[in-house]
């Protein structure tokens, strides 16, 4: 007939168990990933809201390239506020960019005003 009774019983038990564990693992992974991405999105949204509440948009519009090299009082105030936010929130970096995706202030990264933020270029699809 085909193999021993022990082999057939082993296959009858192991194959469904392996299939069940593989299916459960795949579903668990997808669920975990979705939950983590949702939480990351909410967390980033909260941090962006805090940064927006910290700095006046009109003040940011007045910042020009070079204001960071010989720091103006406006740049110093905005930079200080964002640095305090960065430290208190435990973030690696807080960067404010304009509509053209050019840096206005980069707390924790050190990019000058007008530079391109490499992370925005790399994650272009997510940003759009």
């Amino acid at each position: 007939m085909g193999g021993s009774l022990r082999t057939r019983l082993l296959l009858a038990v192991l194959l469904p168990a392996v299939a069940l564990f593989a299916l459960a693992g795949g579903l668990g992974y997808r669920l975990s990933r979705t939950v983590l991405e949702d939480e990351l999105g909410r967390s980033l949204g909260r941090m962006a809201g805090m940064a927006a509440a910290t700095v006046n948009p009109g003040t940011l519009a007045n910042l020009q390239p070079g204001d960071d090299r010989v720091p103006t009082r406006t740049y110093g105030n905005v930079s200080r506020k964002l640095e305090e936010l960065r430290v208190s929130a435990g973030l690696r970096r807080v960067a404010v960019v304009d509509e053209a995706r050019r840096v206005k202030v980069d707390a924790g990264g050190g990019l000058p005003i007008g530079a391109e933020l490499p992370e925005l270029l790399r994650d272009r699809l997510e940003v759009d």
Side-chain angles (χ1 to χ4, degrees):
M1 274 197 167
S4 70
L5 180 60
R6 175 190 280 185
T7 304
R8 285 185 285 171
L9 285 174
L10 197 57
L11 287 176
V13 171
L14 281 181
L15 286 180
V18 168
L20 181 65
F21 283 128
L23 181 64
L27 290 175
Y29 171 77
R30 291 186 81 191
L31 178 64
S32 298
R33 182 178 174 148
T34 301
V35 168
L36 287 172
E37 285 179 352
D38 289 347
E39 180 55 31
L40 177 62
R42 281 191 297 274
S43 182
L44 287 174
R46 282 191 303 270
M47 291 298 134
M50 288 172 61
T54 300
V55 179
N56 181 342
T59 302
L60 290 171
N62 292 329
L63 295 176
Q64 299 297 322
D67 286 352
D68 51 336
R69 285 192 294 274
V70 179
T72 62
R73 200 166 70 196
T74 301
Y75 177 82
N77 287 334
V78 171
S79 181
R80 179 185 46 77
K81 287 178 183 179
L82 290 178
E83 181 63 21
E84 289 171 1
L85 172 66
R86 184 188 74 77
V87 171
S88 68
L91 301 172
R92 181 181 62 84
R93 180 184 214 173
V94 174
V96 177
V97 296
D98 60 14
E99 297 83 18
R101 298 184 182 156
R102 299 288 181 168
V103 170
K104 284 295 194 173
V105 180
D106 185 14
L111 288 176
I113 296 175
E116 290 184 336
L117 193 64
E119 291 84 355
L120 290 181
L121 295 172
R122 183 186 63 224
D123 299 327
R124 193 172 32 247
L125 294 175
E126 288 83 357
V127 172
D128 287 341

